[in-house]
């Protein structure tokens, strides 16, 4: 038999694998086929080698048979894919049979019977062809099966759109309640499907776009409820209608964006290319400058000058802004001028080298390259500093919530003039936040973060006018409870976006600093992960997922509140501040884990994070003990008492991490235990931070006003301890968990994040 057992394939065209599930399914198959093709080509094969190759070939054949059976069942249920799927399954089965035949020479048959047959040893080309056919056909089957998932998402979206149209046209409360209940169930199904798809996508840019669209849908569901009820209660109110229409429009846009992502449509929404950020512009320009060391003629001096001019021109987003401080503007302009000077020096050296037809850059050109790159690094650092400091300042101002409080008060009083005045103030703050998001986009450093910045910009741009229309409605109907509730919901969405922006700033900082913090690089090399195995991710049941999601959301709120308290400290380098910030970051990582996102990809990563977190918590306890040395009486007792609570929670976290868990339920319980311990730990940290900050300021002021440490200690001994109201009573303030319970919020939204 001289010919190959299988013919040529028409599936050898490049099939792009877009999801992790398809990729992971192919890995074992690729591994076994590689084993068959790359066997050692020795003249004599031992019986052990022949038997091993035979087993691998038969295993591949059996696995392909089962795989094809599933593919054929899918083809039978989906007529539109039947022909393509059937052909792919046929090719896969043929390739599997060919591999089984080629490896049959490894069976225990006598040599006289096997020598005359075509085997993997006698016809290596046939094995390569069979392997290529098998991989391409199996990939084809998987890609076709993936279309079924896309079809499910499109079908679910269409159901949501139909119900959304019905909701928009209802005229009675009874009809609205009935249809909204159906809408909630459909949105839960859509959230399941899109959440799974988001986690499965390989392209980080698409994942970020999907996350942004899903965030819009989640937040808009609650807005849609109250905006629709307000419009039904006040059908003749123009501002209520405007408010409702904006919510429906935004939901439709988000639904369309999801479909564009999963179908890779090139409509107007997807064809919009991200503008080149200054960060990427500096990186690319610097890279081309450094490449001059390798090739002096790959780039022209004229192109270099034009590219630098374009880069400096984009700096106008920073320098022309009325909100950029004079010092920052002058620093950026000064560095731009230096960059031009150093680039001009480089251009001069470069032109001389080209005129001399040199093959390598001389020493003076090497110096010019180094200086140019250094100035570009300094410029990038200054731009990052300007954007992040602007964002931090605005978040600090927004934390006071003055315009929102004033708008609520004016609306409740029916004061249209005051509502209009505070609306102008909110509009100005909205414009500042939009511009700040644009600057953050310039320095974000990665495409996913750029997309998140754009999402934040669009959210502020849309929610600002919605808050104003909701306030106008309340001012026109000050006694309307539903109008007041509607304004509250939009204000909460604004505050939630501010919280997201604070987290975004932290992530941009982490990218800029190169992930220097150890708790952000998990699992990290060393004793903790030397023998770390990577288990498969565990999926819990719906009820367990819902419970975990709620706990995760609590961690997110707590970590945000801790960050807010940390910003109030004057001494940002204090040990208590640094360690509390580390704990907040790790709690946020756990929140992302409950969503199937972030750096913690598996339960092993999660439990390692818990171990690191307990160590960080114990270090904080040590710092608190040192801090308590300077305190007296009740102050010292309070800090030490809370410190003991922290120690107990850290030990609980360690014990939970070391507990052996076998099976899905046990693993879920272990995760749940760790999250609950982290929640308790963060609650204690949140209560301690303002108390310790007040004491730190108090004793710092006393130290500066007293002549000697001895005088300070004497004054300590004679001072009367002042009781701090609500410092350790577990209250989180106006933005804490007490304002609206998570359970009530999740029930009202009717859209649970279950991925």
């Amino acid at each position: 038999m001289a010919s190959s057992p299988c013919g040529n394939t028409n599936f050898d065209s490049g099939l792009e694998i877009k999801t992790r599930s398809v990729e992971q399914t192919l890995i074992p198959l690729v591994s076994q086929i590689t084993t068959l093709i790359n066997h050692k080509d020795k003249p004599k094969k031992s019986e052990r080698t022949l038997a091993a190759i035979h087993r691998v070939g038969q295993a591949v054949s059996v696995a392909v048979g089962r795989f094809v059976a599933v593919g054929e069942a899918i083809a039978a249920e989906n007529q539109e894919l039947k022909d393509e799927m059937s052909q792919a399954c046929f090719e896969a089965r043929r390739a599997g049979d060919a591999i089984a035949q080629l490896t049959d020479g490894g069976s225990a048959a006598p040599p006289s019977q096997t020598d005359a047959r075509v085997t993997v040893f006698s016809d290596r080309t046939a094995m390569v062809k069979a392997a290529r056919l098998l991989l391409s056909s199996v990939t084809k089957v998987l890609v076709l099966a993936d279309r079924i998932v896309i079809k499910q998402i499109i079908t679910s979206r269409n159901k949501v759109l139909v119900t959304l149209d019905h909701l928009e046209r209802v005229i009675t409360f009874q009809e609205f309640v009935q249809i909204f209940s159906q809408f909630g169930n459909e949105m839960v199904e859509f959230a399941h499907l899109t959440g799974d798809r988001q986690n499965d996508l390989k392209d980080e840019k698409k994942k970020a776009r999907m996350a942004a669209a899903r965030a819009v849908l989640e937040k808009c569901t609650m807005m849609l409820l109250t905006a629709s009820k307000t419009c039904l209660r006040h059908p003749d109110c123009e501002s209520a209608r405007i408010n409702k229409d904006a919510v429906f429009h935004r939901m439709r846009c988000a639904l369309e964006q999801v479909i564009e992502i999963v179908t890779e449509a090139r409509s107007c929404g997807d064809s919009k290319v991200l503008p080149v950020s200054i960060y990427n512009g500096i990186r690319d320009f610097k890279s081309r400058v450094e490449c001059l060391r390798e090739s002096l003629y790959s780039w022209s001096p004229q192109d270099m000058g034009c590219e630098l001019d374009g880069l400096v021109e984009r700096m106008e987003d920073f320098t022309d802004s009325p909100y950029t401080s004079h010092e920052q503007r002058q620093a950026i302009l000064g560095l731009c001028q230096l960059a031009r000077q150093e680039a001009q020096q480089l251009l001069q050296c470069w032109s001389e080298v080209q005129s001399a037809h040199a093959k390598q850059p001389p020493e003076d050109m090497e110096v010019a390259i180094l200086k140019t790159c250094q100035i570009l690094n300094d410029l990038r650092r200054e731009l990052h500093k300007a954007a992040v400091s602007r964002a931090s300042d605005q978040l600090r101002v927004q934390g006071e919530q003055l315009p929102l409080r004033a708008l609520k008060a004016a609306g409740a009083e029916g004061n249209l003039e005051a509502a209009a005045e505070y609306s102008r103030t909110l509009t100005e703050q909205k414009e500042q936040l939009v511009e700040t998001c644009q600057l953050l986009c310039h320095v974000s450093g990665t495409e996913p973060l750029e997309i998140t910045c754009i999402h934040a910009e669009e959210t502020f741009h849309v929610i600002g006018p919605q808050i104003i229309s909701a306030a106008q409605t309340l001012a026109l109907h000050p006694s309307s409870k539903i109008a007041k509730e509607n304004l509250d919901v939009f204000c909460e969405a604004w505050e939630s976006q501010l919280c997201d922006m604070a987290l975004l700033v932290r992530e941009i900082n982490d990218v800029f600093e190169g992930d220097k913090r150890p708790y952000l690089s998990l699992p990290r090399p060393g004793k903790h992960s030397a023998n770390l195995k990577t288990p498969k991710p565990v999926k819990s049941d719906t009820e367990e997922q819902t419970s975990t999601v709620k706990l995760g959301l609590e961690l997110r709120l707590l970590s945000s509140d801790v960050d807010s308290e940390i910003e109030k400290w004057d001494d940002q380098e204090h040990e208590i501040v640094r360690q509390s910030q580390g704990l907040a970051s790790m709690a946020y990582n756990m929140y992302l884990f409950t969503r199937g996102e972030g750096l913690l990809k598996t339960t092993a990563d999660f439990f390692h994070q818990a171990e690191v977190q307990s160590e960080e918590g114990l270090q904080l306890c040590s710092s608190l003990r040192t801090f308590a040395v300077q305190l007296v009486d009740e102050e010292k007792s309070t800090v030490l008492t809370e410190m003991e609570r922290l120690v107990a929670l850290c030990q609980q976290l360690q014990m939970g991490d070391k507990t052996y868990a076998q099976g899905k339920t046990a693993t879920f319980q272990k995760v749940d235990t760790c999250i609950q311990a982290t929640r308790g730990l963060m609650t204690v940290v949140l209560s301690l931070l303002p108390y310790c900050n007040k004491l730190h300021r108090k004793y710092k002021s006393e130290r500066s006003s007293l002549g000697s440490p001895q005088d300070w200690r004497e004054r300590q001994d004679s001072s009367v301890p002042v009781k701090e109201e609500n410092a350790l009573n577990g209250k989180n303030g106006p933005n804490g968990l007490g304002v609206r319970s998570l359970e009530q919020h999740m029930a009202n939204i009717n859209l649970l994040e279950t991925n």
Side-chain angles (χ1 to χ4, degrees):
M1 190 176 187
S3 62
S4 166
C6 62
N8 293 331
T9 174
N10 60 349
F11 291 114
D12 233 4
S13 58
L15 291 170
E16 184 183 356
I17 299 172
K18 302 179 179 66
T19 58
R20 298 183 189 280
S21 55
V22 172
E23 187 177 64
Q24 293 299 317
T25 304
L26 288 172
I27 287 175
L29 181 61
V30 171
S31 176
Q32 291 202 344
I33 290 177
T34 303
T35 300
L36 291 176
I37 294 177
N38 294 337
H39 68 85
K40 294 181 180 179
D41 195 11
K42 296 180 180 179
K44 293 184 179 181
K45 310 293 187 299
S46 66
E47 290 185 6
R48 184 176 180 182
T49 300
L50 294 172
I53 291 176
H54 175 70
R55 284 197 303 272
V56 172
Q58 294 304 309
V60 169
S61 179
V62 171
V64 169
R66 293 172 181 168
F67 177 83
V68 167
V70 175
E72 290 171 341
I74 293 174
E77 295 174 1
N78 297 272
Q79 291 299 315
E80 69 276 12
L81 298 178
K82 185 174 182 180
D83 292 341
E84 287 184 273
M85 183 70 84
S86 298
Q87 178 67 14
C89 289
F90 171 77
E91 296 288 356
R93 191 186 296 277
R94 189 155 64 100
D97 292 343
I99 289 175
Q101 179 182 338
L102 288 167
T103 57
D104 196 37
S107 62
S112 60
Q113 297 180 19
T114 60
D115 288 346
R117 290 186 295 177
V118 176
T119 68
V120 66
F121 307 109
S122 63
D123 193 350
R124 188 183 185 87
T125 303
M127 173 57 73
V128 172
K129 287 182 178 180
R132 292 180 65 184
L133 175 60
L134 180 59
L135 285 176
S136 61
S137 55
V138 167
T139 303
K140 182 75 170 180
V141 171
L142 290 170
V143 170
L144 289 171
D146 191 57
R147 288 191 201 170
I148 307 299
V149 178
I150 295 173
K151 179 184 173 183
Q152 290 174 339
I153 294 175
I154 294 173
T155 302
S156 179
R157 187 282 307 258
N158 292 339
K159 287 164 58 179
V160 170
L161 276 179
V162 170
T163 310
L164 198 63
D165 290 339
H166 291 164
L167 273 176
E168 196 170 17
R169 294 195 299 267
V170 296
I171 56 175
T172 65
F173 271 102
Q174 183 178 1
E175 185 182 7
F176 174 79
V177 170
Q178 181 180 357
I179 297 178
F180 188 82
S181 176
Q182 176 187 344
F183 175 75
N185 292 331
E186 291 171 353
M187 284 299 291
V188 167
E189 177 191 0
F190 189 70
H192 273 284
L193 293 172
T194 54
D196 291 341
R197 188 68 180 181
Q198 176 185 326
N199 293 334
D200 200 21
L201 288 170
K202 290 175 59 182
D203 190 322
E204 292 299 324
K205 181 178 173 181
K206 290 178 183 176
K207 288 183 75 170
R209 291 187 65 221
M210 179 75 86
R214 295 181 68 243
V216 170
L217 292 172
E218 177 191 346
K219 293 177 181 177
C220 280
T221 304
M222 188 61 183
M223 298 178 193
L224 184 145
L225 173 62
T226 57
S228 298
K229 287 167 63 179
T230 303
C231 212
L232 287 171
R233 182 64 57 85
H234 309 289
D236 299 327
C237 183
E238 180 67 12
S239 58
R241 185 191 61 78
I242 292 173
N243 184 260
K244 186 190 84 167
D245 289 348
V247 176
F248 276 88
H249 175 72
R250 196 163 185 233
M251 287 201 76
R252 288 192 176 97
C253 289
L255 288 167
E256 186 62 28
Q257 181 174 331
V258 169
I259 299 305
E260 287 175 5
I261 295 167
V262 299
T263 61
E264 297 192 322
R266 293 294 182 265
S267 65
C268 57
D270 201 43
S271 61
K272 183 175 68 174
V273 179
L274 286 176
V276 178
S277 67
I278 294 177
Y279 179 97
N280 291 334
I282 291 177
R283 181 196 61 198
D284 295 342
F285 184 81
K286 180 183 168 188
S287 176
R288 298 186 74 173
V289 168
E290 291 174 333
C291 283
L292 292 176
R293 297 188 179 104
E294 307 296 329
S295 176
L296 291 169
Y297 303 97
S298 61
W299 197 21
S300 71
Q302 293 77 13
D303 289 344
M304 176 183 174
C306 291
E307 190 166 329
L308 180 60
D309 289 340
L311 189 58
V312 171
E313 186 178 342
R314 290 205 294 275
M315 308 289 176
E316 292 175 358
D317 289 350
F318 286 83
T319 56
D320 290 356
S321 171
Y323 308 114
T324 300
S325 68
H326 176 71
E327 293 78 9
Q328 287 178 336
R329 182 179 294 108
Q330 291 303 112
I332 294 171
L333 290 173
L335 287 169
C336 286
Q337 184 62 30
L338 283 174
R340 287 183 186 275
Q341 292 174 4
E342 296 299 338
Q344 188 60 40
Q345 181 66 30
L346 174 59
L347 284 171
Q348 184 178 346
C349 296
W350 188 11
S351 299
E352 292 173 359
V353 170
Q354 285 188 330
S355 300
H357 302 288
K359 294 183 178 180
Q360 290 184 342
E363 185 176 345
D364 57 343
M365 185 173 174
E366 176 65 28
V367 172
I369 290 174
L370 290 172
K371 286 185 175 181
T372 302
C373 292
Q374 182 58 49
I375 290 298
L376 291 173
N377 286 336
D378 293 342
L379 182 57
R380 184 170 74 92
R381 187 178 299 106
E382 189 62 37
L383 293 171
H384 174 86
K385 178 182 175 183
V388 170
S389 63
R390 164 93 73 83
S392 299
D393 291 343
Q394 289 190 351
L395 287 169
R396 195 173 297 111
V397 171
Q398 290 287 334
E400 300 174 3
Q401 303 175 11
L402 296 179
L404 297 184
R405 293 178 188 173
L407 268 176
K408 290 179 181 179
E413 295 169 0
N415 190 335
L416 287 169
E417 279 189 26
E421 179 183 348
Y422 293 123
S423 294
R424 287 190 289 272
T425 303
L426 182 65
T427 299
E428 183 180 349
Q429 290 192 353
K430 180 259 296 182
E431 291 172 353
Q432 292 182 26
L433 287 167
V434 165
E435 185 179 289
T436 300
C437 291
Q438 293 170 352
L439 299 187
L440 288 173
C441 186
H442 272 308
V443 301
S444 54
T446 67
E447 278 194 332
L449 287 179
E450 285 181 29
I451 291 169
T452 307
C453 290
I454 292 171
H455 166 67
E457 174 190 342
E458 292 173 347
T459 301
F460 285 124
H461 186 74
V462 171
I463 291 185
Q466 289 179 315
I467 291 175
I468 292 171
S469 60
Q472 289 173 345
T473 303
L474 180 58
L476 290 169
H477 307 280
S479 61
S480 173
K481 291 183 179 179
I482 183 56
K484 181 179 181 302
E485 181 186 357
N486 188 46
L487 177 58
D488 288 341
V489 166
F490 281 96
C491 289
E492 286 176 10
W494 178 275
E495 293 163 11
S496 173
Q497 188 56 51
L498 288 172
C499 172
D500 290 344
M501 184 176 174
L503 298 172
L504 174 61
V505 171
R506 187 168 66 190
E507 289 176 352
I508 290 173
N509 261 328
D510 291 339
V511 170
F512 180 77
E513 293 170 3
D515 260 358
K516 293 178 182 177
R517 297 176 183 173
Y519 52 83
L520 288 178
S521 51
L522 295 171
R524 67 180 190 267
K527 64 177 183 178
H528 296 295
S529 57
N531 300 312
L532 195 62
K533 294 182 180 179
T534 305
K536 295 179 179 178
V538 175
K539 275 195 172 182
S540 53
D541 296 332
T542 302
E543 184 178 349
E544 294 173 341
Q545 288 179 336
T546 303
S547 172
T548 303
V549 166
K550 289 180 180 179
L551 286 171
L553 287 172
E554 290 189 53
L555 286 186
R556 174 183 174 177
L557 291 172
L558 284 167
S559 63
S560 299
D561 289 342
V562 167
D563 284 338
S564 298
E565 290 298 333
I566 286 172
E567 289 180 359
K568 297 175 183 177
W569 280 65
D570 296 329
D571 184 4
Q572 288 292 308
E573 296 302 317
H574 198 285
E575 287 294 315
I576 293 176
V577 170
R578 290 194 303 103
Q579 288 154 358
S580 298
Q581 189 167 12
L583 290 170
S585 294
M586 287 185 271
Y588 182 68
N589 278 346
M590 287 188 171
Y591 155 70
L592 290 178
F593 178 80
T594 65
R595 292 170 55 97
E597 301 172 0
L599 297 167
L600 309 180
K601 303 298 184 184
T602 66
T603 50
D605 294 347
F606 178 87
F607 296 137
H608 175 55
Q609 168 89 89
E611 181 182 354
V612 176
Q613 189 170 31
S614 65
E615 294 172 0
E616 186 81 5
L618 291 173
Q619 289 181 14
L620 176 60
C621 292
S622 177
S623 299
L624 287 169
R625 186 178 287 106
T626 303
F627 178 76
V629 171
Q630 63 179 320
L631 307 180
V632 294
D633 300 338
E634 186 178 343
E635 294 171 348
K636 184 173 185 178
S637 174
T638 300
V639 171
L640 291 178
T641 300
E642 293 302 301
M643 184 205 70
E644 292 300 326
R645 287 180 60 194
L646 271 182
V647 171
L649 288 165
C650 291
Q651 291 173 345
Q652 181 182 341
L653 202 56
Q654 286 180 333
M655 290 176 63
D657 175 51
K658 293 176 182 178
T659 304
Y660 177 72
Q662 184 174 9
K664 185 174 71 173
T665 303
T667 302
F668 166 76
Q669 291 174 347
K670 184 175 176 180
V671 169
D672 190 68
T673 300
C674 289
I675 293 179
Q676 290 192 36
T678 302
R679 179 183 60 179
L681 188 149
M682 293 304 296
T683 302
V684 175
V685 171
L686 181 60
S687 64
L688 271 170
L689 277 172
Y691 188 66
C692 291
N693 187 21
K694 197 163 189 176
L695 294 176
H696 180 63
R697 287 179 176 178
K698 170 185 172 183
Y699 289 116
K700 184 178 179 181
S701 175
E702 289 180 354
R703 284 195 297 270
S704 63
S705 62
L706 292 176
S708 68
Q710 180 63 33
D711 295 335
W712 175 49
R713 284 192 293 270
E714 290 174 0
R715 180 169 177 177
Q716 270 191 301
D717 294 337
S718 61
S719 64
V720 179
V722 179
K723 184 177 181 180
E724 303 292 337
E725 292 186 11
N726 297 327
L728 299 171
N729 62 0
K731 295 182 180 179
N732 297 332
N735 293 324
L737 299 176
V739 174
R740 179 191 289 267
S741 71
L742 285 168
E743 290 78 11
Q744 181 183 358
H745 179 63
M746 298 297 285
N748 286 339
I749 288 183
N750 221 354
L751 174 63
L752 301 177
E753 293 177 31
T754 54
N755 54 314

